[in-house]
Amino acid sequence: MSQDTNYDTFAEAYSAENETSLLNAFYERPATLQLAGDVRNRRILDAGCGSGALAKALVDRGAAVTGFDASHAMVSLAKDRLGETTDLVVADLGQPLPFDDNAFDDVVASLVFHYLEDWAGPLREVRRVLRPGGRLIMSVNHPILFPWNNPGTDYFKPTRYSDEFVFNGKPAVLTYWHRPLHAMTDAFTSAGFHIEAISEPPYAADTPPELIPSPLKERDSFLSFIFFVLRKN
Ligand SMILES: C[S@@+](CC[C@H](N)C(=O)[O-])C[C@H]1O[C@@H](n2cnc3c(N)ncnc32)[C@H](O)[C@@H]1O
């Protein structure tokens, strides 16, 4: 089934926020880059690439990057950022992907799988386009977030929920699927991935202090997203 993305309606505001925010610029992106390690000469597919900040960082580190996103506006912003360095297309992670079998050494999927109800089809497609031994490096909302923020809800029940945000001054609503940790790991192993790492990293050491909310200042971990490194069996 095709998935909706409403990012078209707030693409520029989200992109501007993503550029400098604690959650993206000083937490999610550095953590993903650290998990990816040395990417020189690796062929990397950025699934749900948004406006291309991660893709640009990977290109700058010597990777050959292809990206796709379901939002036309996001792909257009990514094209503005990346020019000819990167092949960028509109495509839906919930549908067959327009890429050849075994085409990539890595797939990165930052903060996109949590929009999908079904992970089996997307993981099958990601596995198909990875070469044998290739990696899927992904981040999603941490499964503790939904029950933590919504007391009385059932951690074990996959649940669709929405959160309200303000991106660079513009209100936006994002709708996610919560699922418990075992549902994530079961989906990975059923799809033919070996789980190499599950990570709950801290925000980056160079985070400007004024971005860190005071209750977090003494912590060396940051509970918001969970990261996985998966290898195609
Ligand atoms: C939170 S943003 C993350 C963007 C980028 N990965 C990053 O971390 O900067 C989520 C992105 O996923 C895209 N998206 C949502 N559902 C999608 C789907 N089914 N297929 C492809 N992209 C999707 C949205 O359009 C949006 O650009």
Side-chain angles (χ1 to χ4, degrees):
M1 192 177 79
S2 177
Q3 310 286 333
D4 290 330
T5 168
N6 55 349
Y7 275 80
D8 277 340
T9 56
F10 46 78
E12 292 207 8
Y14 174 79
S15 179
E17 175 95 14
N18 181 301
E19 215 62 51
T20 55
S21 72
L22 170 64
L23 286 181
N24 302 103
F26 294 100
Y27 171 46
E28 198 287 329
R29 202 150 47 244
T32 294
L33 290 167
Q34 180 158 4
L35 290 169
D38 183 356
V39 295
R40 268 172 303 175
N41 301 318
R42 290 182 81 84
R43 299 161 303 163
I44 301 184
L45 176 64
D46 187 347
C49 62
S51 64
L54 176 62
K56 173 77 167 65
L58 293 166
V59 168
D60 290 346
R61 287 163 173 73
V65 181
T66 299
F68 76 90
D69 198 283
S71 156
H72 287 260
M74 287 303 230
V75 169
S76 170
L77 290 170
K79 285 184 173 168
D80 291 345
R81 183 198 302 270
L82 288 149
E84 300 301 308
T85 63
T86 304
D87 193 14
L88 294 159
V89 295
V90 175
D92 186 336
L93 187 52
Q95 297 287 314
L97 296 177
F99 308 108
D100 292 339
D101 296 358
N102 307 322
F104 300 101
D105 300 306
D106 299 308
V107 174
V108 290
S110 287
L111 306 179
V112 59
F113 265 83
H114 49 214
Y115 296 112
L116 306 177
E117 178 179 10
D118 168 52
W119 282 17
L123 286 171
R124 193 165 49 242
E125 273 300 278
V126 166
R127 189 174 181 281
R128 179 185 66 73
V129 303
L130 278 171
R131 67 160 167 83
R135 300 176 302 173
L136 167 58
I137 301 165
M138 66 180 272
S139 63
V140 287
N141 283 345
H142 197 288
I144 202 170
L145 276 189
F146 172 65
W148 181 302
N149 291 331
N150 299 277
T153 53
D154 183 354
Y155 167 80
F156 289 102
K157 185 175 170 213
T159 307
R160 191 168 184 261
Y161 70 103
S162 296
D163 276 340
E164 293 176 5
F165 295 88
V166 176
F167 295 133
N168 205 33
K170 192 174 166 75
V173 176
L174 296 179
T175 300
Y176 306 107
W177 278 93
H178 160 76
R179 72 196 73 218
L181 181 60
H182 81 269
M184 298 182 186
T185 54
D186 288 354
F188 300 145
T189 51
S190 301
F193 285 98
H194 168 75
I195 300 171
E196 216 162 77
I198 300 179
S199 181
E200 296 167 321
Y203 43 81
D206 64 349
T207 304
E210 65 273 18
L211 288 187
I212 304 171
S214 46
L216 295 181
K217 285 209 194 298
E218 302 306 319
R219 290 177 41 183
D220 61 1
S221 66
F222 187 54
L223 267 183
S224 183
F225 305 139
I226 190 167
F227 298 72
F228 300 96
V229 179
L230 310 163
R231 201 169 282 277
K232 175 174 172 174
N233 289 328

